[in-house]
Amino acid sequence: MSRPTDPGLAAVARVRAVRERDSRLGLVKALAEVREREAEVARLEQSLQVHGRQLDGDMGRFVVLCQSLAVLREAASDARRRAESAALVATDAQSYWTSDKARLGAVEGLMERRADERRAEAVRAADAVTDEVASVGWLRRSRAAHHAQDGGRPADQVGA
């Protein structure tokens, strides 16, 4: 019968579980970063729309407004690039987590199959012992029945 546990496979499972947890945490952080960047883009675009409607006033105010809109537009553009970059990082993090999760699942599946094999082997061993006990009992009963038919005489005196 095999050992009840497989320490090597258990160690691999622990390492895979840690990697899966770390990649899941990385994914959570990357998704939070994406949400933060998208909120920044939305805030800057909202600010552009609000400031773009304020075209009243003198020429000096108009020039200042145009300059501030240009700065806001550049900031919004930078924020969009950062949001796109964060989305790429989140996509990679999703890929790593999916891969790590699949690897952990494979190791856990292997551990379950090995445990099932050990249980089946234990059942086969128990069945073999039961068969042996049953056959010894049958042999004893058979000899006792045969002995009773011969009138209790030893086997070497039967038929004499």
Side-chain angles (χ1 to χ4, degrees), residues 20 28 39 45 49 63 68 74 80 114 116 124 131 156:
E20 187 274 339
V28 168
E45 287 178 348
Q49 289 176 357
V63 170
S68 66
E74 184 63 33
R80 271 189 229 100
R114 287 189 178 175
D116 290 344
R124 283 191 301 273
D131 288 347
D156 58 345

Side-chain angles (χ1 to χ4, degrees), residues 62-74:
F62 177 75
V63 170
V64 169
L65 180 63
C66 287
Q67 289 173 345
S68 66
L69 285 174
V71 169
L72 274 175
R73 195 173 355 205
E74 184 63 33

Side-chain angles (χ1 to χ4, degrees), residues 8 13 15-16 29 56 90 119 125 140:
V15 168
R16 291 290 176 200
K29 184 175 181 179
D56 57 348
R119 281 190 292 276
R140 285 182 183 162

Side-chain angles (χ1 to χ4, degrees), residues 82-154:
R82 287 191 303 274
E84 289 168 0
S85 177
L88 288 175
V89 169
T91 300
D92 285 345
Q94 174 75 36
S95 175
Y96 284 122
W97 175 69
T98 301
S99 175
D100 289 341
K101 184 178 177 185
R103 288 177 179 166
L104 175 61
V107 171
E108 288 173 341
L110 180 58
M111 290 175 72
E112 288 174 16
R113 282 192 302 277
R114 287 189 178 175
D116 290 344
E117 289 171 3
R118 281 191 297 274
R119 281 190 292 276
E121 187 177 326
V123 167
R124 283 191 301 273
D127 288 348
V129 168
T130 303
D131 288 347
E132 180 66 25
V133 169
S135 64
V136 167
W138 177 84
L139 185 58
R140 285 182 183 162
R141 285 187 305 277
S142 175
R143 285 183 180 164
H146 185 16
H147 187 63
Q149 286 177 348
D150 292 336
R153 291 183 287 175

